[in-house]
Amino acid sequence: MAQRTKTNIIDWDAELERVEAESGPNFIIGADWCPYCVRAGQHLVPLAQAAEKQVTFIELEEYEDSGKGLREAFKRKHDGWRTMPMVFINNKFVGGGSDARELEQKEGHITFG
């Protein structure tokens, strides 16, 4: 199994800004070991593909501290949000995977950017 190269970041607030700016309009911040993150990806990716859009997965384990710094920056920016996954649709933070499913049920679909 290939070993991942981990990224060491000093300014986590700037890294969060970079991730949010460069990840495209639809993305999930999470970890591949998190069942809620996996479930969110399994639900949203096919919906986006059907709309000829894409959902990017930002893997926290690629960071040297397993994403702890990024999660702390996220918590500061997004009203104390602490859980994974962190789902963005159309560059807007919608919450976790269950929040994305609730949005879909409420509106009847998800409009991806």
Side-chain angles (χ1 to χ4, degrees):
M1 183 170 165
Q3 186 166 346
R4 291 181 177 160
T5 302
K6 300 219 175 198
T7 304
N8 188 15
I9 303 294
I10 295 171
D11 184 344
W12 287 106
D13 294 306
E15 176 63 4
L16 178 61
E17 292 298 322
R18 185 197 67 75
V19 165
E20 291 182 0
E22 296 178 7
S23 296
N26 312 302
F27 61 97
I28 299 168
I29 300 174
D32 59 11
W33 52 260
C34 167
Y36 303 104
C37 302
V38 171
R39 192 174 306 131
Q42 289 172 337
H43 179 75
L44 294 173
V45 168
L47 292 176
Q49 288 173 338
E52 298 183 359
K53 303 293 182 176
Q54 123 180 7
V55 174
T56 303
F57 192 86
I58 309 302
E59 174 57 63
L60 291 172
E61 290 298 318
E62 291 180 5
Y63 293 98
E64 191 164 287
D65 69 344
S66 298
K68 182 179 179 198
L70 193 66
R71 289 190 314 261
E72 288 298 317
F74 194 93
K75 186 168 60 170
R76 285 191 296 275
K77 182 176 180 181
H78 294 283
D79 298 322
W81 188 269
R82 300 177 55 99
T83 61
M84 295 190 302
M86 302 143 199
V87 178
F88 286 76
I89 298 173
N90 287 324
N91 292 311
K92 182 180 177 219
F93 175 58
V94 297
S98 60
D99 298 305
R101 283 189 294 282
E102 286 176 23
L103 175 67
E104 179 185 18
Q105 289 173 349
K106 177 182 171 191
E107 296 187 10
H109 68 284
I110 293 178
T111 303
F112 292 95

